[in-house]
Amino acid sequence: MPNDKPKTELLDELEKGPWPSFVKEIKSAGQTSASAQDLLRQLELSYQEKKGHWKHGGLVGVLGYGGGVIGRYSDAGDQFPNVAHFHTIRVNQPAGWFYTSDAIRTICDIWERHGSGLTNMHGSTGDLILLGTRTAELEPTFQELAHAGFDLGGSGSSFRTPSCCVGMARCEWACYDAMKLCYDLTMAYQDEMHRPPFPYKFKLKFSACPNDCVAAIARADLSIIGTWKNEIQVDESAVTEYASDGVNIQKDVCDLCPSQCMAWDGHKLSIENHECVRCMHCINVMPKALRPGKERGAVIMIGGKAPIMQGALLSSVLIPFVAADELLDTLKELIRRIWDFWDEYGNNRERVGELIQRVGLPAFLDGIGLEPVPEMVSAPRDNPYIFYQAGKDGEK
């Protein structure tokens, strides 16, 4: 390993200030890793030249898998030979990100033997990310991970590694068992995860309550968001206790309710549950007094994505409510129908949400065999000049 310390005048500026710095962490890894040192040198050069030096990834992987490894090469490999290859490996995380300290030590030991020692806990897909190794080290790394009980996650045009919140393991608001559902569907779709078969990536994320702690609505092609169907449970004595302790229920709860479905007369909290949009605000403010209803399950939403190919999309409602004990079977059937339609009509590098925008929601619903319902309307139409022709027997 080179003994000369990298000169990083520009990167040093990023260590200043109150926030944690990735530069500090790479420097720490550089004490034992030559690739981390060359990474600093190349990054400093990029800042000097205002130019990136990573080439477009090549096709690299491990035997039998088409996904899980992201190829990365440097166009300055002659100057920085230890990052000439700097491939990234995605490791399938446990549901809810529950690790033992022994498991994390095992992964880190493997990575120090075969890679840069740098990790990302966790990437936007959910996986544990191992940053930076050479092509020759990919297969040995995979074999050691497999023998330690770990598998690779998804990459490329595949079913990406599902991720979920801690759900019923830690959260009192959980409306279904997010960890179990995430695990069951991860096991069900191993082929689609490891051998990319799709027009583009497909992400599935599970949030056990409407707080959406894994940001599924903003990032997942199919979002499973826990919700309830009946009335919010209210503990009147606890509401009174909050009021006596100084909580301004009118200002901090009722006035901030997005659907204005709550009223406080100074003594009693009233809720028009049929107007409630399940935003969780009131429950988050007064957790001892309010709880989700007893009839629990999830809403299935579709089409979320980040702005990579086209603009960002937030998920919209596909199925308003599925009971918790019916989620697994419902999702398996629904996913099969969505994938069949997407495989048939999706363009190259077109996410499901973009496909729906292109062909229209009515065509998509017809293709997957779902009837339209009012909850699917994401916004009122802005064109009043839409006319309907009479169908069979005079029906509109």
Side-chain angles (χ1 to χ4, degrees), residues 81-204:
N82 295 299
V83 293
H85 300 186
F86 204 72
H87 308 313
T88 291
I89 296 177
R90 287 180 174 156
V91 180
N92 193 332
Q93 81 284 350
W97 302 291
F98 280 102
Y99 296 93
T100 64
S101 56
D102 284 343
I104 293 177
R105 288 191 181 96
T106 296
I107 291 174
C108 290
D109 288 344
I110 292 171
W111 194 232
E112 285 184 352
R113 284 194 290 273
H114 298 289
S116 68
L118 296 168
T119 64
N120 176 355
M121 307 270 289
H122 288 256
S124 61
T125 297
D127 305 270
L128 191 162
I129 310 295
L130 306 182
L131 294 163
T133 191
R134 302 184 67 81
T135 303
E137 295 293 339
L138 291 173
E139 190 65 32
T141 305
F142 170 63
Q143 291 299 331
E144 282 206 47
L145 287 169
H147 283 101
F150 292 94
D151 199 357
L152 300 191
S155 71
S157 298
S158 72
F159 176 60
R160 296 298 183 85
T161 316
S163 63
C164 64
C165 66
V166 295
M168 292 181 172
R170 294 290 297 274
C171 179
E172 59 187 316
W173 309 138
C175 295
Y176 70 94
D177 192 339
M179 289 177 58
K180 183 178 187 303
L181 191 59
C182 180
Y183 176 82
D184 288 344
L185 290 173
T186 301
M187 294 297 102
Y189 298 119
Q190 291 294 293
D191 279 352
E192 289 81 3
M193 186 184 305
H194 294 310
R195 297 163 188 89
F198 297 142
Y200 202 22
K201 65 184 82 169
F202 186 92
K203 296 183 178 181
L204 183 62

